[in-house]
Amino acid sequence: MTTDPWGIDDGYEDVHGRLHETSSETRDAILAAMGADQERPPAADDAVRVVRPGQAASLGAGELTLEDGTRVEIADRAPADLPPGYHRFRPRGSEKETLLIASPCECRLPLHPLWGWAVQLYAARSADSWGIGDFADLRRLAEWSRTLGAGMLLVNPLHATSPVDPRQASPYYPSSRRFRNPLYLRVEEAPGASQAGLDLESPAAAGRALNFERYIDRSAAFELKRQALETIWDRFSGDVEFHRYCAEQGRALEEFAAFCCLAERHGGDWRQWPAEWRRADKSAIRRAAEQQPGRFAYHQWVQWLLDEQLARAAKAAPFVQDLPIGIDPGGADAWVWQDELAAGCSVGAPPDMFNTLGQDWGLPPFIPHKLRQAGYRPFVETIRATLRHAGGLRIDHVMGLFRLYWIPQGMGAQHGAFVRYRPEELLAIVALESQRAEAFVVGEDLGTVEPGVRERMAEHGLLSYRVLWMEEGPPQEYPELAMVAVTTHDLPTIAGLESGRDLAAQKSLRLKPNEEATQKLRQR
């Protein structure tokens, strides 16, 4: 296989070993989506460099600006004790900068074997829920799980969806991967909710009544929570922790709050907004804040509440956060990073034994060379935000760090092509953020995985992920394995229990997927 200067492969080998060539029509459509108007992307070989600890990289003479703002004049080589982080180097006499990613290039690993539940939080409703599971339910579940010996909880993506109806049901179609979904708030635990004279009993009763419905009504639950939160917000007089959170999140939070304000006025898809609002530049952010200062601050406040409640839940048991492969093309992050996204394509997967027609996930891919030109800001902020308050990170479709299957709009999933990224740079960022967050990383490596990917993952300390019933061999055949997914239907048998209710009584339960789970499954 060969790859052209834009990163487009000339073909791929499917799960059956058959070769599929990239058609000229597919290639032309992908180039158009990239905005390619020349034979190759602008020269950017020196735009990004990865530096490992102890490596005195040769840079030439110039000025090195460390992540903390410290400036260092160097004659040739970077300091061998360069601290981990994102630094900038400008050669003497040049205006161009090189991003230096000083990374250990190895993710943090778990200190010992762990087991835990995979939790779909929206479905984990309690008697106190308002029609949908929330962070208080998550905290209680984590506390109970710790009494059973669980060392983690793998949670569905918690990211924000569009703030207008209809509410997006899929957690894998987020408006923003940098912020969270207000549906997961426990209203009664918001500061000021217990204030005398504040009537929350009526919306709480209506919310709890939703628990008796088989299907989760996200719109109804959100409307009740919105009304209650706005009542609390009207009496909010400020909090030093809230202001500290806003300062810490800075530009990213301002972008998100501006999007929410505009979406409430013009609809949830920024591509349909009036032309004056379609660019997420500083002017648009400032004008959105000035026109609706109260609403702008309200959306910041809601994110602060979510951050506080998730932090409390994380103290009960470590969470493994889940990172979707992409974002809603009409959502907040796509509005901010529209110049780096290929609007005319979506990502998916080629046909395989489980999906013979392939898959189109409807999520726009980042354009490789433009992502690098942006200093990987979209990727860094996404990884960092998802790792916040996490003990681990599951990266959905981890092969996307190496290549993604692009599908031109209107052509169908069978007529896509793989487009390559710079895995050495993306993996360095993942490892750096993993070490900073003191969290391990698991890559979901299911589907069409090209040779060498799992070896590169292992070199960087990314653990592997399997669904047990999809594998031909037992877990112990895969030394790099981190997670084995088992259905709740199988759990009582695997754990040696007669029924699901015995699980709560079995305080000393220790489920070790690589050993006991496999043995019990073989006995069935």
Side-chain angles (χ1 to χ4, degrees), residues 94 117 122 127 175 192 236 276 282 304-305 368 370 390 504:
S94 174
W117 316 117
Y122 46 84
S175 173
F236 181 68
E276 63 179 307
K282 292 182 180 179
W304 172 61
L305 297 182
K370 291 186 178 181

Side-chain angles (χ1 to χ4, degrees), residues 388-462:
R388 189 172 172 89
H389 308 309
L393 174 68
R394 174 191 177 273
I395 299 179
D396 187 41
H397 195 74
V398 74
M399 293 84 75
L401 300 180
F402 299 80
R403 64 178 187 175
L404 275 174
Y405 189 70
W406 287 31
I407 304 167
Q409 288 181 357
M411 294 187 67
Q414 298 181 50
H415 302 289
F418 279 104
V419 176
R420 295 196 172 272
Y421 294 79
R422 303 256 187 157
E424 69 279 3
E425 295 168 358
L426 296 172
L427 289 168
I429 292 170
V430 171
L432 175 56
E433 295 300 327
S434 165
Q435 294 290 350
R436 286 182 164 181
E438 298 184 353
F440 61 87
V441 180
V442 180
E444 188 231 17
D445 50 347
L446 308 177
T448 305
V449 186
E450 65 177 328
V453 166
R454 289 182 174 129
E455 289 77 6
R456 294 286 297 279
M457 287 172 57
E459 290 172 3
H460 287 79
L462 271 75

